[in-house]
Amino acid sequence: MSISFAGLVGAVLGGYLGWLDWKILKGILQAAEEKNRREGGDGGFVAKYGALLRGLIFAVPIFGFPIIGYLAGSQLVG
């Protein structure tokens, strides 16, 4: 199995987009938890399942986007 250059470029771009998405989603998650705590709550769903949510928010974009980028790049160029 050979590795295509276009696929690698797609994977790099996918990795960058995954990193950006991870940062955005992490900030949204922290803001939701902070807002709930400021309003007198205990943090709500985000605080209760924070570790699981943070793990999913990290794994899906960081590992999924480069794979999708590689597949898209290799399929588009051939």
Side-chain angles (χ1 to χ4, degrees):
M1 179 177 162
S2 64
I3 297 175
S4 73
F5 180 70
L8 289 178
V9 170
V12 169
L13 289 174
Y16 177 68
L17 290 175
W19 177 77
L20 284 177
D21 190 46
W22 169 62
K23 292 297 234 180
I24 291 169
L25 290 174
K26 187 175 81 165
I28 290 171
L29 195 66
Q30 288 175 346
E33 184 177 0
E34 249 180 63
K35 181 181 176 186
N36 193 324
R37 288 188 191 277
R38 250 186 279 129
E39 293 174 349
D42 62 348
F45 182 79
V46 176
K48 187 174 182 181
Y49 298 106
L52 177 64
L53 288 173
R54 283 180 190 75
L56 284 173
I57 285 175
F58 177 78
V60 172
I62 296 295
F63 298 117
F65 282 28
I67 292 170
I68 293 169
Y70 177 83
L71 293 174
S74 62
Q75 290 295 317
L76 285 174
V77 174

